[in-house]
Amino acid sequence: MNFNVDVFWAALSSWAFFKGALITLALAVVSHATAIAISVPMAVVIRGRPSLLRGSITAYIGFFRAAPTLLLLLFVWNALPQFIPIFRQAWFTPFLAAWIALALNEAAYQVEINRSALQAVDAGQTAAGEALGLTRFHVLRYVVLPQAARIAVAPTVNEFITLLKITSLASVISLQELMTVTQVTVARTFQFTEHYAAALIYYLAMVYALMAVQKRIEKSFSWANRAAATKDTPAIAVPVQR
Amino acid sequence: MSMIEFSQVGKSFGAFQALTDVSLKVEAGERVVVCGPSGSGKSTLIRCVNGLERHDSGRIQVNGIELTESASALLKIRRDVGMVFQQFNLFPHLTAIENCILAPKKALGMSDADARDLARKYLDRVRILNQADKYPVQLSGGQQQRVAIARALCMNPKAMLFDEPTSALDPEMIGEVLDVMIDLAQSGMTMICVTHEMSFARRVADRVVFVDHGRIVETASPEDFFQSPKTDRAKAFIKQVLHG
């Protein structure tokens, strides 16, 4: 076996790989952020009384958990413009198509995480909030969500790591993310090992960085931990989904 | 007008009849102790006062407001009535003082500075001001329950409900919570208290209400209730509580 270190370094330090990795990361971040923004209200509704909206959300979750991500990507990129003319215009890029497909898909998974996190908050917390005369929205916003957020951190970061790797599927709709760049380069040079290794290094670096972020977030929930709880590290502010 | 009035209130959970034909009047400034065997419906009764459990039949009025499906009536009643729970139910992500200021700020629109002044006053009254910046996880059970009482008092309630406030406490912490409750009772607060603390009942209660199988079986002054209970069920219960 020969491994050309120079080729490996050249790939690793190339603008093309760096840009590919940035697109991968950006796609994962915006898709997951969108998914979280959609899925928090969905999780709240799904825990409420039966309604048409709740039924629709249940159907949504079932559908998008069942549909293969690859199929969704191809559908949004190729089929959507066929029956909705607005998507035929130049602004509809592979990045946007991937964002839509991955966000819709991810929201279906994230809503289950949110639902179980909400469920895990003790019912006595809601009772205490309601007994104080807080409205249902205030109880949710200031009492339940901050506690549910702590429970949701680990599975949510897990989901994000999975999503980061799933973005490579967007190579089928010609998005120039990390795996597309790698495959194009390999097809041209036939230097498989060096370029795969460079791509792998990028993925590993991104995931390890994420795990460090997870640790920091978990530390900010120090109120749950008797030894670590101090006023100096206040509980993290929960992003309000509107 | 009574502070709290139940008229023939009924409540069921599915097939289980939790309350049957409960009528009870609590006047302003009155202290009522509710007791009864476990599962008798006393917690359900007290949770019906502020609508944490919704009654199926009969009428409940609090401070002249009828408890209906109306959300605004419900909020008004809850802002008038403080509640203390068996498991404290402090918000674990907020410090003691933050627990106290949340509702005054969000429900009453009080400024942060005013709410903190009020919170310090009540934390001081329950003798825990020095722990104001601690999180609940750092406090003992007795301390947590005293913060919970201060949190309820910060809404300037017209009546207070206590749902077995000392049942989850270690024996050595029961006293500090009872002292705060006795102090509150002596200040003229209207109170309904579900408890098995017979010393508390003897010392401050105007009336003892004995509940069994979802019905009010007996109502009497503490002396009469403990010395000469009228029903066999009350006799058996008192025997168990005092000697059990």
Side-chain angles (χ1 to χ4, degrees):
Chain A
M1 186 192 112
N2 56 27
F3 184 89
N4 188 329
V5 177
D6 293 339
V7 171
F8 167 73
W9 274 117
L12 198 62
S13 56
S14 70
W15 169 243
F17 268 69
F18 182 71
K19 193 179 156 200
L22 276 187
I23 291 175
T24 290
L25 190 62
L27 179 61
V29 167
V30 296
S31 301
H32 204 185
T34 311
I36 291 172
I38 309 173
S39 65
V40 170
M42 286 204 292
V44 171
V45 172
I46 230 171
R47 283 180 36 77
R49 295 194 194 109
S51 64
L52 188 63
L53 185 60
R54 197 178 91 165
S56 319
I57 292 171
T58 309
Y60 171 94
I61 296 169
F63 180 83
F64 279 96
R65 282 169 93 186
T69 313
L70 189 58
L71 190 151
L72 286 174
L73 280 163
L74 289 167
F75 184 89
V76 171
W77 178 239
N78 293 324
L80 213 54
Q82 284 192 344
F83 55 91
I84 306 179
I86 198 169
F87 288 112
R88 281 177 215 155
Q89 290 163 15
W91 59 262
F92 191 58
T93 60
F95 186 87
L96 269 177
W99 179 356
I100 294 172
L102 294 179
L104 290 176
N105 191 213
E106 188 54 38
Y109 293 107
Q110 186 68 40
V111 74
E112 287 295 300
I113 293 176
N114 300 349
R115 190 181 58 79
S116 55
L118 287 170
Q119 209 150 16
V121 177
D122 183 58
Q125 293 291 308
T126 303
E130 287 182 345
L132 282 165
L134 293 170
T135 61
R136 293 175 76 169
F137 175 76
H138 281 153
V139 171
L140 184 68
R141 169 66 186 83
Y142 298 107
V143 177
V144 178
L145 280 183
Q147 298 181 55
R150 183 182 75 88
I151 300 163
V153 168
T156 301
V157 173
N158 239 359
E159 269 307 304
F160 185 77
I161 290 171
T162 307
L163 182 63
L164 187 80
K165 292 181 283 189
I166 280 179
T167 54
S168 61
L169 290 177
S171 60
V172 298
I173 62 169
S174 68
L175 178 69
Q176 295 294 312
E177 49 70 53
L178 186 53
M179 271 321 286
T180 312
V181 172
T182 310
Q183 278 168 320
V184 167
T185 317
V186 163
R188 206 180 55 233
T189 62
F190 295 102
Q191 285 164 311
F192 300 98
T193 326
E194 293 82 352
H195 292 108
Y196 290 157
L200 181 62
I201 295 291
Y202 269 110
Y203 280 112
L204 291 181
M206 288 190 281
V207 172
Y208 286 144
L210 271 170
M211 293 188 332
V213 170
Q214 178 182 349
K215 271 220 168 112
R216 286 200 67 140
I217 297 176
E218 282 176 349
K219 254 194 191 159
S220 69
F221 288 107
S222 65
W223 49 262
N225 179 337
R226 181 165 196 161
T230 60
K231 184 67 191 120
D232 304 327
T233 51
I236 194 169
V238 170
V240 195
Q241 316 296 346
R242 290 181 203 277
Chain B
M1 181 184 74
S2 306
M3 181 63 79
I4 294 164
E5 184 168 353
F6 277 48
S7 314
Q8 293 166 321
V9 170
K11 162 80 186 169
S12 60
F13 297 102
F16 177 72
Q17 191 70 29
L19 293 178
T20 309
D21 196 23
V22 169
S23 294
L24 176 68
K25 270 189 191 182
V26 180
E27 305 299 331
E30 207 178 2
R31 278 90 54 172
V32 173
V33 162
V34 178
C35 61
S38 128
S40 60
K42 51 197 192 302
S43 271
T44 305
L45 189 158
I46 203 169
R47 287 169 70 94
C48 277
V49 175
N50 61 356
L52 287 185
E53 302 290 355
R54 309 310 298 268
H55 59 294
D56 308 323
S57 58
R59 291 178 68 187
I60 297 175
Q61 276 189 307
V62 179
N63 198 26
I65 304 165
E66 176 153 7
L67 188 58
T68 57
E69 289 301 312
S70 149
S72 66
L74 192 61
L75 281 182
K76 257 189 206 155
I77 288 174
R78 285 174 176 172
R79 286 167 190 178
D80 275 350
V81 178
M83 187 161 200
V84 174
F85 299 87
Q86 182 176 357
Q87 299 294 340
F88 330 134
N89 295 355
L90 286 181
F91 307 133
H93 59 300
L94 301 178
T95 60
I97 193 161
E98 288 167 348
N99 264 275
C100 293
I101 63 175
L102 180 65
K105 281 171 71 176
K106 301 300 169 193
L108 304 180
M110 207 179 272
S111 75
D112 187 73
D114 288 351
R116 279 178 191 275
D117 282 346
L118 190 69
R120 280 192 210 97
K121 178 179 135 189
Y122 284 116
L123 286 171
D124 190 33
R125 181 157 169 198
V126 301
R127 294 184 282 279
I128 198 154
L129 185 56
N130 56 341
Q131 313 277 3
D133 289 327
K134 291 231 172 119
Y135 285 98
V137 73
Q138 297 169 296
L139 301 173
S140 73
Q143 291 173 324
Q144 288 192 54
Q145 194 61 300
R146 284 186 283 143
V147 172
I149 294 171
R151 176 176 72 176
L153 291 176
C154 279
M155 291 294 284
N156 287 321
K158 297 187 171 68
M160 287 281 286
L161 309 172
F162 292 84
D163 188 4
E164 303 205 32
T166 56
S167 300
L169 294 174
D170 291 334
E172 72 267 26
M173 291 170 187
I174 291 174
E176 61 190 76
V177 172
L178 286 182
D179 284 348
V180 167
M181 290 169 61
I182 289 167
D183 172 56
L184 198 59
Q186 286 167 349
S187 76
M189 176 64 78
T190 309
M191 291 165 74
I192 300 183
C193 188
V194 174
T195 184
H196 291 162
E197 288 300 327
M198 294 307 138
S199 63
F200 174 79
R202 279 211 172 99
R203 184 141 171 215
V204 303
D206 298 304
R207 267 189 298 156
V208 175
V209 171
F210 177 67
V211 180
D212 194 22
H213 295 300
R215 290 174 186 273
I216 294 183
V217 177
E218 203 167 322
T219 304
S221 70
E223 299 81 47
D224 290 349
F225 180 73
F226 291 116
Q227 265 139 45
S228 47
K230 293 183 217 86
T231 59
D232 289 342
R233 279 183 286 180
K235 276 176 201 159
F237 174 76
I238 291 165
K239 206 175 153 201
Q240 273 188 340
V241 175
L242 294 183
H243 308 293

